[in-house]
Amino acid sequence: MSSNKKYWKSVEELENSSIVEALRNNEFVEEIPTEEFLGNADALAQSGTSRRDFLKYVGFSTAAVTLAACEGPVHKSIPYVLQPEQIIPGVADYYATTVFDGFDFANLLVKTREGRPIKIDNNTISGSKFSANARIHASILSLYDSMRLKEPKLDGKNGSWSAVDLRIKSSLAEAKAKGGQVVLLTNTLASPSTEKLIGEFIAKNPNAKHVVYDAVSSSDALDAFETVYGERALVDYDFSKAAVIVSVGADFLGDWQGGGYDAGYAQGRIPSGTTGSKKMSRHFQFESNMTLSGAAADKRIPMSIANQKQALVEIYNNITGSSVANSLDSKFKPEVAKAIHDLKLAGAKGVLVSGLEDKNAQLLVLAINQVLASEAFNTVGTRQIRKGSNAVVSQLIKDMNAGSVHTLIMSGINPVYTLADSASFVSGLKKVKTSVAFSLKEDETASITTIAAPAPHYLEAWGDVVLTKGTYSLTQPTIRPIFNTKQFQDVLLSLNGTPGNFYDYIKASSASIIVGSSWNKVLHDGVFVIGSSALSAGSVDYATAASAVAKSKSAGDFELVLYTKTGMGDGQQANNPWLQEFPDPITRVSWDNYVTVSNADAKKLGLTNEIVANGGLNGSYATITTADGLKLENVPVIVQPGQAVGTVGLALGYGRKAALKDEMQVGLNAYALYKNFNSVQSVSIVKANGVHEFACVQGQKTLMGRGDIIKETSLKTFNSEDPEHWNEQPMVSLDHEEVKATTVDLWESFDRSTGHHFNLSIDLNACTGCGACVIACHAENNVPVVGKAEVRRSRDMHWLRIDRYYSSESTFEGDNERKENIAGLSSSLSTFNEMEKPGDNPQVSFQPVMCQHCNHAPCETVCPVAATSHGREGQNHMAYNRCVGTRYCANNCPYKVRRFNWFLYNKNSEFDYHMNDDLGRMVLNPDVNVRSRGVMEKCSMCIQMTQATKLKAKNEGRPVADGEFQTACSNACSSGAMIFGDVNDAESKVAKLAADDRSYHLLEHVGTKPNVVYHVKVRNT
């Protein structure tokens, strides 16, 4: 059967908690303050007001007061004196560009309105490989950050660029005369023009050198690849070619090796082939923390890092025919044996990846894939997005402290924040005569350098990038610089005495690269494919590497596994409120980082989580102490199902203070524990005093405990049984006969036979929970940020949420059977106690939920002022000006997708985010109204986008082609999980998906007939 498993959202839900039960059954967790707007409550209670009179009172009297209170000021517009030819008011322009900030990268289209960049889209032209993740979608807001460094500063005082130029040239001359070192310290650049420019700088200054520093290091993998293939690069795996995927500690659906693997992975996860023998890839995940990759896996085995290394040696032995002794825990051997069996069977269709930060372990990964002759392991187009060396950076810090570095010029990095031994870097920096930091903000590093040089945002800058060998991408500005900024490269040109600017330099340098094309063509497309050849492997002693890995042992009480969160990444955009409010896909917590602990370890340590009466999640604090005595105190605790016993997780990227608004100064700096660039540290943990209040959305807006929210089945059942078995249709009684719920209507159906009728298809097999759709929705639809306190009160404003469900091996039917067989009081107590224990290794499912745009919408029938109504094209509309905020629609919605504006979030100092300052509001989409206090809002299925598509086709005198209709979420979805289109077009992809055997509607038995279609999740177990 499809829905025979028990799904649960949080550990607390499985406990016998009266609070959780009350929250499940109460729509509003706090008492509605009716006294505030109904005047004299006692007099009202004594009155005999009818329901109709009450609605009149609320709908008109209160509405009038509310409108008067919230009436906006009059704004006068100033027209163009001379309108730029390329700008047509009301029409969007798109520019192809590429982003690479040293951590994230993607090929993009930037949407601009009247000269303002307002949204990021994916560049889908041939040759574009990488789509925007949640952080890149949010980077459009970082352009309008009012805390950016606005002009150069010399010795803490405002200065000019000519003064900066003069100061650096003087320092370089002095360094040359005295024999002092000059160091350019940058992030990985991946820019052929910039690297050429740096080469010219070093040629003019022989005492100079270039050091590359990656805040989150991939040095071990780079060292291993360089040892075998002679090139400092990373493998660009193609998971679409893999039938069996084995991951040992690599969150390749997250930030491992830069991420961007989800599109290829999703291709193999959707069952395809002939009916009855459809195939999909099989995925084994060995890991400590619960990750996006672990959540997607068919078989997830939680284990410590020490055991992961032993498992890797065991796999190496069996694949290569070696016999290196290892000490793998016997309880893991059966699962490791299954992975080995499937890898061998798959041969070239198998692939192994690993995130273990150990050069020897990474050598074993290369050896295993070589023996498999893995098609997914590709050395033709290697990734150039990480180049840093831990050893070289460590040596630089020693040189600085020795006083041998005279001039230090930094760009794209913030080592004072990101280095574990930050104090050593700071002490060394004090011994440097001239230090320069090119930075977007006056961050922790720029604030203590002699020169703080404001750098432009990538949307204001020129650049070129080689993300993978054989491709060439251009970065172009989409807006003139907002502040008095200057590119690092333009300053280098000046220091080299080279005439012209960096644009001219790139254009000239590119001529030898883009042979067969033109500058304008490449600039228009954003990317140019050159092509490259495969690398040949050298001779390496893998046996010695395997022996070294096998000797690895766990030390200390716990293994701390540091990682980067989907929302915050390495912390560059810590001042971005979209990312701070973005709920983590696994824990569903926003505005925080925290230590994740297994349920078993939490009980031993006395650490707890609890849902309190107002629906908020509370947790214990813990103190983490490393083996060498470094402490991180008062770290909030999340009890995480699936966390490997003996391990704990903590996210990097939080705890920043410099150049951040007060509201964004949240969390703790976990980089302090990132000793020797190793994400695994031996620690001890003790409970600390106090209770932490989390902003966690997981226990909010639940779908009332219904058991058919997610339908899933196994691949075997999917192939061997009829769809009625694994995609069971809900039945209802009609005239004393059982019929399918979908055949019964309480209302007369809309005629959708003419024109367009929009559907959104969501494939649960392809959705990885990455959250790019959530941020894209914010950007497109002007969704406000409400802050931690409001999120905690169940007042988050996300139009699209990604529900995360855990499922144990137990079933509802099995639970019922156990309950029925209880004999006596003692038996009942022990049985219920066992049934309440959460699974130590639950399966995970993600489900994007937005307004379902029901054809029989319950919200429409209860709105007293017809503010919400049904459109002819299947969309459920909201007329904001009609809404008087009764919230009846939210109460009547079974999907809990409507959001109420409790406050005016725009231009409100109580919500000091981007909508409260003039610069931040530049990101707002003029096609979408900014909602006011007292108004209900929700997903509009991006009606402004569908209307624009129709108008474009009409102007061009043609029908709309399949694939042209998009919503913000479908446009952002790189895995192909979301497909939007017109079901009245029988040949459209969405029409075929809606008719597929795997399709079903959420809460189908309610009879709402949604226009959002889900697809049964199939697991290859």
Side-chain angles (χ1 to χ4, degrees):
M1 302 293 286
S2 58
S3 301
N4 60 347
K5 293 202 297 186
K6 181 195 297 183
Y7 291 93
W8 39 284
K9 280 189 167 186
S10 60
V11 174
E12 296 74 27
E13 191 175 335
L14 293 184
E15 297 175 357
N16 188 16
S17 170
S18 58
I19 290 175
V20 173
E21 186 63 30
L23 291 170
R24 178 179 291 165
N25 295 315
N26 292 336
E27 170 66 14
F28 305 113
V29 296
E30 294 181 348
E31 185 176 348
I32 299 175
T34 52
E35 293 184 13
E36 294 180 13
F37 60 85
L38 292 183
N40 190 324
D42 294 332
L44 191 66
Q46 300 297 321
S47 69
T49 307
S50 68
R51 186 170 187 273
R52 177 177 291 275
D53 289 338
F54 174 76
L55 288 178
K56 285 180 183 177
Y57 181 83
V58 175
F60 296 100
S61 304
T62 310
V65 174
T66 304
L67 286 172
C70 300
E71 187 175 356
V74 174
H75 292 280
K76 294 182 180 178
S77 300
I78 301 174
Y80 289 113
V81 177
L82 290 172
Q83 181 179 317
E85 288 183 11
Q86 67 272 28
I87 294 178
I88 303 173
V91 177
D93 289 314
Y94 290 84
Y95 295 89
T97 192
T98 303
V99 57
F100 177 58
D101 61 10
F103 191 73
D104 292 315
F105 50 92
N107 304 112
L108 308 176
L109 287 178
V110 181
K111 179 182 179 181
T112 67
R113 283 294 302 271
E114 287 74 57
R116 291 181 297 116
I118 62 169
K119 188 172 181 291
I120 298 293
D121 286 333
N122 294 320
N123 188 350
T124 57
I125 199 168
S126 178
S128 296
K129 291 185 63 175
F130 300 108
S131 299
N133 59 21
R135 295 186 295 270
I136 293 174
H137 278 288
S139 67
I140 195 90
L141 182 56
S142 294
L143 169 67
Y144 303 114
D145 186 350
S146 59
M147 302 292 284
R148 282 176 58 187
L149 184 57
K150 298 175 178 63
E151 57 187 329
K153 289 192 173 183
L154 291 83
D155 301 317
K157 298 178 182 178
N158 292 339
S160 65
W161 279 108
S162 59
V164 169
D165 196 52
L166 190 64
R167 181 84 166 264
I168 297 175
K169 285 180 178 177
S170 174
S171 182
L172 292 176
E174 185 178 315
K176 188 178 289 186
K178 294 183 176 181
Q181 282 189 35
V182 175
V183 178
L184 300 180
L185 180 60
T186 72
N187 58 343
T188 300
L189 297 168
S191 167
S193 293
T194 306
E195 286 165 0
K196 179 185 174 187
L197 190 54
I198 288 173
E200 292 169 357
F201 175 83
I202 293 172
K204 289 183 71 69
N205 300 274
N207 58 329
K209 65 178 179 179
H210 180 209
V211 176
V212 178
Y213 165 55
D214 296 322
V216 181
S217 176
S218 296
S219 187
D220 292 302
L222 290 164
D223 292 343
F225 192 84
E226 190 173 20
T227 299
V228 177
Y229 293 98
E231 179 183 298
R232 195 162 185 78
L234 297 170
V235 180
D236 187 33
Y237 292 91
D238 186 353
F239 290 102
S240 67
K241 296 179 179 177
V244 174
I245 301 165
V246 177
S247 169
V248 182
D251 182 18
F252 58 87
L253 295 180
D255 293 331
W256 177 75
Q257 293 194 179
Y261 293 112
D262 45 350
Y265 175 80
Q267 287 182 42
R269 299 299 291 169
I270 300 172
S272 61
T274 57
T275 303
S277 58
K278 292 189 176 183
K279 296 180 179 180
M280 59 183 286
S281 63
R282 193 157 198 233
H283 175 189
F284 294 85
Q285 184 82 10
F286 302 92
E287 64 180 14
S288 301
N289 299 341
M290 176 70 83
T291 66
L292 289 179
S293 302
D298 298 303
K299 287 287 185 181
R300 178 184 181 272
I301 302 90
M303 58 169 63
S304 66
I305 299 296
N307 270 308
Q308 287 176 38
K309 290 185 176 181
Q310 302 305 323
L312 183 61
V313 174
E314 182 76 4
I315 296 169
Y316 168 79
N317 282 341
N318 283 271
I319 297 297
T320 65
S322 303
S323 55
V324 178
N326 64 78
S327 54
L328 177 63
D329 193 319
S330 59
K331 68 181 178 182
F332 297 121
K333 287 186 176 179
E335 296 297 341
V336 173
K338 290 178 185 175
I340 292 168
H341 172 268
D342 283 12
L343 261 183
K344 282 184 172 181
L345 204 62
K349 291 292 183 182
V351 67
L352 180 137
V353 294
S354 178
L356 295 172
E357 292 182 2
D358 182 321
K359 178 182 176 181
N360 290 315
Q362 292 298 328
L363 286 172
L364 299 190
V365 173
L366 301 177
I368 291 167
N369 285 309
Q370 285 172 6
V371 173
L372 290 171
S374 172
E375 294 176 11
F377 177 84
N378 186 3
T379 64
V380 174
T382 53
R383 291 192 172 199
Q384 306 293 308
I385 44 83
R386 299 286 186 270
K387 296 283 187 177
S389 169
N390 296 344
V392 175
V393 173
S394 298
Q395 184 60 48
L396 170 63
I397 296 172
K398 290 177 184 176
D399 291 345
M400 289 167 62
N401 279 283
S404 58
V405 178
H406 181 279
T407 304
L408 179 66
I409 302 175
M410 294 174 282
S411 175
I413 56 171
N414 184 9
V416 174
Y417 165 67
T418 57
L419 278 171
D421 193 7
S422 176
S424 292
F425 185 86
V426 172
S427 66
L429 197 62
K430 291 176 181 176
K431 297 177 182 179
V432 174
K433 179 69 183 297
T434 303
S435 55
V436 186
F438 284 84
S439 175
L440 278 170
K441 306 169 77 67
E442 195 173 3
D443 55 28
E444 288 81 356
T445 302
S447 60
I448 62 171
T449 54
T450 54
I451 300 174
H457 190 272
Y458 75 90
L459 291 172
E460 302 169 311
W462 285 101
D464 61 351
V465 188
V466 173
L467 299 178
T468 57
K469 197 174 180 181
T471 64
Y472 180 73
S473 305
L474 289 176
T475 299
Q476 67 170 314
T478 58
I479 187 174
R480 293 192 62 166
I482 297 172
F483 303 118
N484 184 20
T485 57
K486 202 168 188 178
Q487 286 188 241
F488 165 63
Q489 293 89 341
D490 279 315
V491 173
L492 277 184
L493 283 168
S494 175
L495 298 177
N496 289 349
T498 306
N501 54 33
F502 190 48
Y503 165 78
D504 299 323
Y505 190 87
I506 296 172
K507 190 173 180 181
S509 300
S510 70
S512 61
I513 301 173
I514 57 173
V515 178
S517 188
S518 66
W519 169 260
N520 286 342
K521 177 75 164 61
V522 177
L523 189 62
H524 173 271
D525 295 347
V527 65
F528 176 72
V529 178
I530 306 163
S532 64
S533 55
L535 299 173
S536 300
S539 179
V540 179
D541 185 2
Y542 293 117
T544 301
S547 297
V549 175
K551 292 174 185 175
S552 302
K553 295 187 184 303
S554 180
D557 299 336
F558 288 92
E559 288 179 347
L560 170 65
V561 183
L562 300 169
Y563 67 100
T564 53
K565 280 179 73 172
T566 304
M568 198 48 59
D570 64 349
Q572 288 187 51
Q573 296 191 75
N575 206 42
N576 193 310
W578 284 347
L579 294 176
Q580 289 285 8
E581 193 148 296
F582 173 74
D584 180 74
I586 301 294
T587 63
R588 307 287 285 132
V589 173
S590 61
W591 292 100
D592 257 317
N593 66 337
Y594 35 77
V595 60
T596 54
V597 185
S598 70
N599 188 54
D601 288 331
K603 287 184 176 178
K604 290 178 186 176
L605 298 167
L607 304 172
T608 59
N609 283 148
E610 177 188 13
I611 292 180
V612 294
N614 69 349
L617 179 72
N618 288 355
S620 304
Y621 284 113
T623 297
I624 301 175
T625 307
T626 62
D628 53 0
L630 181 65
K631 285 187 177 181
L632 199 61
E633 298 181 330
N634 294 327
V635 186
V637 173
I638 287 288
V639 180
Q640 176 62 60
Q643 182 78 32
V645 175
T647 71
V648 294
L650 183 62
L652 301 166
Y654 286 80
R656 288 189 59 184
K657 304 293 182 185
L660 264 67
K661 289 186 176 181
D662 292 342
E663 291 82 357
M664 257 68 81
Q665 296 179 23
V666 297
L668 296 159
N669 185 5
Y671 279 112
L673 305 180
Y674 192 36
K675 184 181 178 183
N676 297 326
F677 302 97
N678 194 338
S679 63
V680 182
Q681 300 289 332
S682 176
V683 300
S684 60
I685 300 176
V686 294
K687 183 177 181 179
N689 295 326
V691 174
H692 185 79
E693 295 185 344
F694 288 104
C696 179
V697 300
Q698 188 57 29
Q700 304 167 3
K701 302 177 180 69
T702 65
L703 298 187
M704 308 299 286
R706 296 172 168 114
D708 60 349
I709 301 164
I710 289 181
K711 292 186 178 184
E712 72 169 56
T713 187
S714 68
L715 183 61
K716 181 180 178 181
T717 303
F718 175 72
N719 277 324
S720 60
E721 302 287 350
D722 292 333
E724 289 77 13
H725 181 82
W726 47 262
N727 189 6
E728 187 178 4
Q729 298 300 306
M731 309 294 284
V732 295
S733 177
L734 180 67
D735 295 333
H736 307 291
E737 289 186 10
E738 275 205 338
V739 298
K740 290 182 179 180
T742 53
T743 64
V744 179
D745 288 338
L746 295 179
W747 296 277
E748 185 178 337
S749 294
F750 289 94
D751 177 16
R752 66 171 185 85
S753 59
T754 58
H756 303 292
H757 190 89
F758 296 115
N759 268 201
L760 176 64
S761 169
I762 302 176
D763 196 325
L764 300 182
N765 264 51
C767 179
T768 63
C770 72
C773 54
V774 176
I775 302 296
C777 176
H778 267 260
E780 175 67 30
N781 295 296
N782 301 336
V783 178
V785 173
V786 300
K788 182 175 180 178
E790 291 299 291
V791 172
R792 184 172 164 82
R793 293 188 178 100
S794 306
R795 294 176 179 175
D796 69 284
M797 295 297 289
H798 297 97
W799 282 13
L800 191 167
R801 69 177 191 266
I802 303 179
D803 285 341
R804 184 267 297 129
Y805 290 97
Y806 296 130
S807 57
S808 305
E809 295 302 322
S810 59
T811 64
F812 286 113
E813 290 79 4
D815 282 351
N816 292 333
E817 188 176 337
R818 288 186 70 185
K819 285 186 285 187
E820 289 169 2
N821 292 331
I822 289 175
L825 178 61
S826 60
S827 175
S828 69
L829 293 175
S830 62
T831 301
F832 280 118
N833 185 50
E834 289 175 11
M835 291 170 66
E836 288 169 1
K837 290 180 181 177
D840 292 328
N841 184 27
Q843 290 181 327
V844 184
S845 298
F846 296 111
Q847 185 175 53
V849 180
M850 65 293 289
C851 174
Q852 302 292 291
H853 295 271
C854 309
N855 289 308
H856 291 167
C859 55
E860 295 168 10
T861 59
V862 294
C863 181
V865 291
T868 183
S869 57
H870 207 71
R872 188 173 186 85
E873 295 176 338
Q875 294 147 319
N876 174 256
H877 298 321
M878 274 297 305
Y880 298 128
N881 282 2
R882 294 183 65 87
C883 180
V884 295
T886 63
R887 297 188 296 171
Y888 294 160
C889 55
N891 193 50
N892 220 38
C893 174
Y895 307 103
K896 307 304 169 198
V897 290
R898 289 177 164 263
R899 304 288 178 261
F900 183 68
N901 284 268
W902 292 89
F903 300 96
L904 176 67
Y905 302 112
N906 181 34
K907 301 182 184 178
N908 187 338
S909 59
E910 290 297 315
F911 302 91
D912 192 16
Y913 309 113
H914 66 289
M915 285 191 180
N916 189 47
D917 65 63
D918 291 334
L919 187 61
R921 282 194 296 274
M922 285 181 72
V923 82
L924 296 179
N925 184 356
D927 292 333
V928 179
N929 191 42
V930 176
R931 284 72 65 187
S932 188
R933 182 183 182 183
V935 170
M936 185 66 69
E937 62 182 73
K938 52 95 203 174
C939 161
S940 66
M941 210 174 259
C942 291
I943 188 170
Q944 72 280 1
M945 292 179 68
T946 56
Q947 289 298 103
T949 302
K950 286 189 290 185
L951 286 172
K952 183 175 184 290
K954 185 177 181 180
N955 286 338
E956 294 173 2
R958 58 172 179 82
V960 178
D962 185 31
E964 275 195 272
F965 283 122
Q966 293 286 350
T967 57
C969 55
S970 68
N971 216 9
C973 184
S974 58
S975 68
M978 292 182 172
I979 302 295
F980 180 75
D982 179 9
V983 288
N984 278 354
D985 177 4
E987 297 302 313
S988 68
K989 189 172 182 180
V990 75
K992 293 174 182 176
L993 288 168
D996 189 83
D997 287 339
R998 282 202 298 135
S999 68
Y1000 75 96
H1001 294 113
L1002 192 56
L1003 304 182
E1004 207 153 23
H1005 61 275
V1006 179
T1008 54
K1009 296 189 180 299
N1011 282 313
V1012 178
V1013 180
Y1014 292 89
H1015 290 260
V1016 173
K1017 187 175 181 69
V1018 181
R1019 295 187 189 271
N1020 194 357
T1021 52

